[in-house]
Amino acid sequence: MFQTLDRFFKSWEFEAGVTRRVLDHLTDESLKQEVTAQNWTLGRIAWHIVTAIQVIVSRTGLTFEAPAKDWPVPSSADFIAKSYKKASDALVQALKTQWTNANLNDLIDFFGQQMTNGTLLMFLIQHQTHHRGQMTVLMRQAGLNVPGVYGPSKEEWARLGMDAPKM
């Protein structure tokens, strides 16, 4: 749970930056990558991350412009990446102009669960992180290079002339 907006902004800046790097590695063709026909495609997950910003935060009464419908999935990886940046920037701007630290303690109903706005902002980050992890697996299956998230990726280790640590 976040106690101050500044702490959220610092966390969001890092996490949104990582998400942008992941989204920037997608290609139009890779958006079709799937585990099975019964599971979401890479594009669907990517677009869900974009639209979830508005869907999740709208429960607080905070208002800003961002996509909120996750269907249909755009066919352009570039459009998805640019839409994420716009939604992320709009969220930050809305928080800076519409909230104070006191709003973080406001209690809201989030799909039947009571939580504070500060907890909801942590949930937003965790939700994004969860789906970003799914995306990196599908990116590998699609033959894409995966950027480092919380440290160098296999490809980044190789560029450094080192073997990736064995897990």
Side-chain angles (χ1 to χ4, degrees):
M1 174 174 132
F2 290 100
Q3 301 292 330
T4 68
L5 288 169
D6 188 55
R7 296 238 175 168
F8 171 76
F9 294 142
K10 284 182 172 73
S11 294
W12 185 256
E13 179 181 8
F14 176 82
E15 295 295 334
V18 172
T19 300
R20 283 193 310 273
R21 280 198 312 274
V22 169
L23 292 172
D24 285 344
H25 278 74
L26 300 180
T27 63
D28 294 351
E29 184 60 33
S30 73
L31 298 179
K32 299 172 189 154
Q33 183 66 43
E34 60 186 13
V35 176
T36 71
Q38 290 76 39
N39 297 102
W40 285 6
T41 63
L42 178 55
R44 176 105 163 96
I45 296 168
W47 188 240
H48 175 70
I49 288 174
V50 174
T51 62
I53 294 172
Q54 176 66 269
V55 171
I56 291 170
V57 177
S58 70
R59 310 300 287 193
T60 69
L62 195 66
T63 58
F64 58 96
E65 288 292 319
K69 296 192 187 317
D70 63 359
W71 196 262
V73 175
S75 59
S76 166
D78 185 60
F79 178 81
I80 292 172
K82 286 178 178 171
S83 295
Y84 176 82
K85 182 172 182 346
K86 287 179 186 175
S88 175
D89 291 348
L91 167 65
V92 169
Q93 187 60 32
L95 287 167
K96 287 181 176 181
T97 59
Q98 297 174 39
W99 279 12
T100 66
N101 288 336
N103 292 105
L104 295 171
N105 294 315
D106 293 347
L107 197 61
I108 58 158
D109 180 280
F110 183 66
F111 299 108
Q113 184 177 350
Q114 297 295 306
M115 66 177 64
T116 65
N117 284 335
T119 301
L120 183 86
L121 291 178
M122 179 59 75
F123 173 83
L124 176 66
I125 289 175
Q126 292 168 334
H127 176 266
Q128 176 177 259
T129 302
H130 162 72
H131 288 302
R132 198 172 58 212
Q134 293 174 319
M135 287 177 56
T136 60
V137 171
L138 289 169
M139 289 171 72
R140 287 241 184 262
Q141 290 179 335
L144 300 177
N145 286 334
V146 176
V149 174
Y150 295 117
S153 67
K154 176 179 82 168
E155 294 83 3
E156 291 166 340
W157 279 105
R159 280 195 299 274
L160 294 170
M162 305 167 71
D163 290 330
K166 304 293 183 217
M167 300 288 164

